[in-house]
Amino acid sequence: MTRYILTGTTGALGSRIFRNLIRLVPASDIVVSVYNPSGATEEVKSSGVEIRKGDFEDPASLDSAFAGADKLLIVSYPSIAHELRVRNHISAIDAAKRVGIKHIYYTSLAFADDSVAAVMQAHLDTEKYLKESGLTCTIIREGIYSESWPLYFGFFDPKEGKDEVLILYSDGKIAWVCRDDLGEGTAKIIAADVGYENQTLLLSGDKPISFVEFARIVSQILPGDRHITVKVVSEDEYVKNNLGKQSKELLRPWSTTYKALERAELEKVDPLLKTLLGRELRPIEETLKEMLDAQLGDGGKGATARYAK
Ligand SMILES: NC(=O)c1ccc[n+]([C@@H]2O[C@H](COP(=O)([O-])OP(=O)(O)OC[C@H]3O[C@@H](n4cnc5c(N)ncnc54)[C@H](OP(=O)(O)O)[C@@H]3O)[C@@H](O)[C@H]2O)c1
C-alpha cells in the first residue's frame, strides 16, 4: 500500500489533482493536508479521506500533517513574493525529510531552466533545493493555464470595449493547457507505481499560439463585429496603462514574462500529457469561449485578479 499526502486541494489545480487521484487509488490511501482556514472542500470532506491541518508557515503542523506517508504532493505556494514562496516550499521539503516521505512531487511552472521570468525564479530555487535534498522527487512543470489568458493578454476585459491589447512582445507563443487536463495528468504521474523518479517533466499544451493568432480567435468568439489587435509598447507604457487594473508591484516583475516569451520559453511542447490522458487535450478555443461568455454575462468577474496574486 502506498500512502499519499496532498497539499493545495482547496485550490484550482490541487482540487483537480485530488478529483482524479481518488479515481485511481483507494480513498483510504489518501490524506489531505489543509491550510485553508475554511477547511477542506465539500468534495474532499464527502470522499472519506483523512484530513489533517498543515500550514507551510507552521513547520510543526507539517510534521503531523505529513507523518506516515510515502508520496507527498507539494502544490506551489500562490504568491509573487519570491522569498516567502521559496521559504514555504523549503518548509514543506524539510518536513517531508524529517518524517520520512519517500517521494515528493512538486508542481513547478513551464518556463525554461534558465528562465528570465520573475515568476519562475521561486520555482527554480525550489527545484534546486529539492534536487539537493537527497529525497526522491518528481518536478512537474505545469503548462500555462488556459484559464489565465487575461493576465498575458493585456488584462483584456471584453466589457471594456477596447479592441487594442497592449503587450510587450508579439511573436512569443504559449502552449496553453487547461487546468482539468493538468489535474488529470498530474494525478496519473503521482499514482504511477514506477517511473518519473528524479525527473523534471513538462505537462504542456500541444499547440503554441502567438498573441496575433490569439487576438484573431478572441475576435471570432466575441459577439458583434470586433477586431482585436495587439500593440507592442515599451515597459513604461505597459505599466502606465495597466496601473488602474494592477499594482506596480505586480506589473514590473510581470513584464519579465514577455522577455521570457521573446526567448520562446513557453513554446515548448511535450507529448507526455496527451500520452498520459490517452485523448486529445482541450483546445484553448473552448476555454476562451467559456470564459468570454461568462465574463460577458458577469459570471467571470475578476478572472484576471484571480491569477494576479
Ligand atoms: N500554471 C499556471 O499557469 C499557473 C497559473 C496561476 C497560478 N499558478 C501557480 O500554481 C500553483 C497552484 O495554482 P492554483 O491555481 O491551484 O492556486 P490556488 O487556487 O491559489 O491554490 C493554491 C493552494 O495554496 C495553498 N496554500 C496557500 N497558503 C498555504 C499555506 N500557508 N500552507 C499550505 N498551503 C497553502 C492552499 O492550500 P490548502 O488547500 O491547504 O488551503 C491552496 O489550495 C500556485 O503556486 C499558483 O501561483 C500556476
Side-chain angles (χ1 to χ4, degrees):
M1 182 187 106
T2 302
R3 206 139 157 83
Y4 302 80
I5 300 268
L6 307 184
T7 66
T9 57
T10 64
L13 180 64
S15 58
R16 289 165 168 86
I17 298 172
F18 172 79
R19 192 167 304 147
N20 284 283
L21 187 68
I22 202 157
R23 292 179 188 141
L24 301 170
V25 305
S28 52
D29 293 353
I30 301 177
V31 176
V32 163
S33 166
V34 177
Y35 150 77
N36 201 309
S38 315
T41 60
E42 285 309 317
E43 186 177 16
V44 166
K45 281 194 239 170
S46 62
S47 68
V49 303
E50 185 183 342
I51 300 168
R52 298 178 186 167
K53 187 159 174 40
D55 178 352
F56 292 156
E57 299 198 41
D58 174 8
S61 76
L62 298 179
D63 283 13
S64 42
F66 297 169
D70 304 293
K71 295 185 175 188
L72 166 69
L73 167 71
I74 301 176
V75 170
S76 60
Y77 179 76
S79 170
I80 52 168
H82 179 97
E83 277 171 29
L84 173 67
R85 209 174 190 197
V86 177
R87 192 174 68 228
N88 281 341
H89 298 158
I90 287 177
S91 263
I93 296 163
D94 287 351
K97 209 168 177 175
R98 283 195 297 274
V99 304
I101 296 280
K102 296 191 186 82
H103 193 151
I104 293 183
Y105 298 81
Y106 171 71
T107 66
S108 184
L109 199 53
F111 290 89
D113 288 338
D114 60 348
S115 182
V116 294
V119 70
M120 187 62 188
Q121 302 311 310
H123 291 295
L124 292 175
D125 286 354
T126 305
E127 289 185 5
K128 185 168 183 288
Y129 191 85
L130 198 45
K131 285 178 191 162
E132 289 170 358
S133 71
L135 291 166
T136 299
C137 66
T138 302
I139 291 159
I140 306 170
R141 291 197 177 159
E142 309 277 354
I144 301 301
Y145 295 171
S146 303
E147 293 85 349
S148 68
W149 67 269
L151 194 53
Y152 295 78
F153 197 58
F155 308 99
F156 182 77
D157 178 349
K159 285 192 287 188
E160 273 181 354
K162 283 190 195 154
D163 287 357
E164 190 176 68
V165 172
L166 302 189
I167 54 174
L168 293 175
Y169 181 70
S170 71
D171 294 333
K173 295 180 178 170
I174 300 179
W176 306 94
V177 55
C178 78
R179 293 179 310 205
D180 280 345
D181 288 350
L182 288 174
E184 186 177 339
T186 303
K188 286 186 169 162
I189 290 168
I190 297 169
D193 281 340
V194 284
Y196 310 121
E197 285 94 354
N198 302 318
Q199 290 184 32
T200 299
L201 310 173
L202 172 66
L203 298 184
S204 73
D206 56 358
K207 195 174 67 168
I209 294 178
S210 72
F211 286 119
V212 173
E213 170 68 357
F214 200 91
R216 193 190 60 75
I217 299 169
V218 173
S219 305
Q220 276 179 346
I221 293 171
L222 287 174
D225 190 20
R226 289 183 63 178
H227 178 60
I228 311 299
T229 56
V230 289
K231 183 183 175 195
V232 177
V233 294
S234 68
E235 184 177 319
D236 285 346
E237 200 179 340
Y238 173 80
V239 171
K240 195 172 139 217
N241 272 282
N242 287 306
L243 265 181
K245 295 180 180 175
Q246 301 294 338
S247 68
K248 207 189 292 176
E249 289 67 39
L250 176 106
L251 289 166
R252 285 288 173 196
W254 186 248
S255 301
T256 61
T257 304
Y258 291 91
K259 293 193 177 87
L261 283 168
E262 197 170 359
R263 302 172 78 231
E265 289 190 28
L266 296 176
E267 283 182 29
K268 203 169 161 195
V269 164
D270 193 302
L272 175 63
L273 183 57
K274 218 159 139 176
T275 307
L276 285 165
L277 269 48
R279 59 167 172 79
E280 293 300 315
L281 305 182
R282 188 184 201 210
I284 179 77
E285 287 85 347
E286 280 184 21
T287 307
L288 262 172
K289 181 158 185 356
E290 192 175 280
M291 287 179 68
L292 285 167
D293 284 351
Q295 277 175 283
L296 288 167
D298 260 331
K301 219 172 169 197
T304 301
R306 168 81 182 72
Y307 294 99
K309 292 184 282 184

